[in-house]
Amino acid sequence: MDNLITKVELQKRNKNRVNIYVNEEFLFACSAEIIYRYNLKAGKNIDIPIIEKIIEEDNYIKCKNDSLRFMERSFKTEKQIYDKLLGKGYDNKTIEKVINSLKEYNLIDDSKYVEMYIKEKSKSEGKNKIKYSLLQKGIDENIVRQKLENMDSNIEAEALVKIAENKYNQLVKREEDKRKLYKKLGDFLIRKGYSFDDIKPILNKLINNNDW
């Protein structure tokens, strides 16, 4: 049976890539450059094994280049890179091959990413919010938990006091009712990711004038 190209279709998300249909069925996706280089068009017979080998290598190179461009401005998680490449139309096999290559060169390291993220965010957010954000980025929960356990508690405590005092000074200008002030400040700090056990003594100090 002939392997007849029946349709060459530009991808909607990435106009530089096309979908190739052979005998009315989707066969593979590749860069538009391959189409022009090998004159692939509807109505033409192709040698599938040869074309697939060319396309596989081409996809890998372009996928890797896209991943490096995506990473050049900031460190990314494995899931962020995976989702980005998937959105560009690359297949799972090619993406996994690229990700494994990036890991070999330590260009992807979720453990290091978590350390950097915690160091940056611990100045303005509590553990709960940091944990949620990292899990949303696709980081393994065991990595997140381990790194948060090693988080400097003094830095977190100092940040909490500073954030609480700044917010209190804003709220007290327009709220005189202590109970409402207590609730508003407490809710704000919980949204920032701090636990109520850590928040309570600070609320008592700022609003009820209790000692630390």
Side-chain angles (χ1 to χ4, degrees), residues 19-186:
N19 297 325
I20 303 296
Y21 293 78
V22 172
N23 299 328
E24 305 297 341
E25 294 184 359
F26 173 78
L27 185 62
F28 55 77
C30 66
S31 68
E33 182 182 340
I34 289 290
I35 298 300
Y36 302 127
R37 188 188 305 167
Y38 294 95
N39 192 30
L40 302 179
K41 57 186 178 181
K44 183 173 182 177
N45 282 304
I46 60 172
D47 186 329
I48 292 180
I50 293 177
I51 291 295
E52 284 184 337
K53 186 174 181 180
I54 293 171
I55 289 171
E56 182 179 345
E57 184 61 25
D58 177 75
N59 280 345
Y60 171 73
I61 293 171
K62 285 183 168 54
C63 184
K64 189 171 185 178
N65 288 338
D66 276 343
S67 70
L68 292 173
R69 280 194 291 270
F70 178 54
M71 297 168 62
E72 65 185 1
R73 291 188 177 182
S74 62
F75 209 62
K76 300 292 192 303
T77 69
E78 179 177 338
K79 185 175 186 300
Q80 286 175 321
I81 295 170
Y82 183 92
D83 290 345
K84 183 71 172 180
L85 296 175
L86 192 64
K88 283 183 167 292
Y90 294 107
D91 61 277
N92 291 328
K93 182 180 178 181
T94 301
I95 294 173
E96 289 173 4
K97 185 178 178 182
V98 166
I99 285 178
N100 287 334
S101 175
L102 294 174
K103 284 182 176 179
E104 288 179 8
Y105 289 95
N106 295 319
L107 295 176
I108 296 178
D109 187 338
D110 281 358
S111 181
K112 182 180 178 182
Y113 181 96
V114 172
E115 290 179 358
M116 294 168 59
Y117 189 90
I118 290 175
K119 184 177 181 180
E120 177 187 354
K121 295 297 182 179
S122 61
K123 301 173 184 177
S124 60
E125 296 176 0
K127 287 183 178 179
N128 293 334
K129 187 172 182 179
I130 291 174
K131 179 180 179 181
Y132 177 79
S133 297
L134 287 169
L135 293 178
Q136 288 295 105
K137 295 177 184 294
I139 304 290
D140 184 272
E141 187 171 359
N142 291 326
I143 295 177
V144 176
R145 186 185 300 112
Q146 179 186 3
K147 297 300 181 182
L148 284 175
E149 287 175 355
N150 296 328
M151 182 175 168
D152 191 326
S153 58
N154 291 327
I155 292 178
E156 183 184 25
E158 291 173 3
L160 173 54
V161 171
K162 184 176 181 180
I163 292 169
E165 289 177 342
N166 288 339
K167 189 63 177 179
Y168 171 79
N169 290 333
Q170 295 174 18
L171 291 173
V172 76
K173 294 177 182 178
R174 54 181 184 273
E175 182 59 73
E176 296 181 358
D177 189 308
K178 285 191 174 182
R179 287 180 298 179
K180 292 182 179 178
L181 187 58
Y182 190 101
K183 185 177 187 308
K184 288 182 179 180
L185 182 56

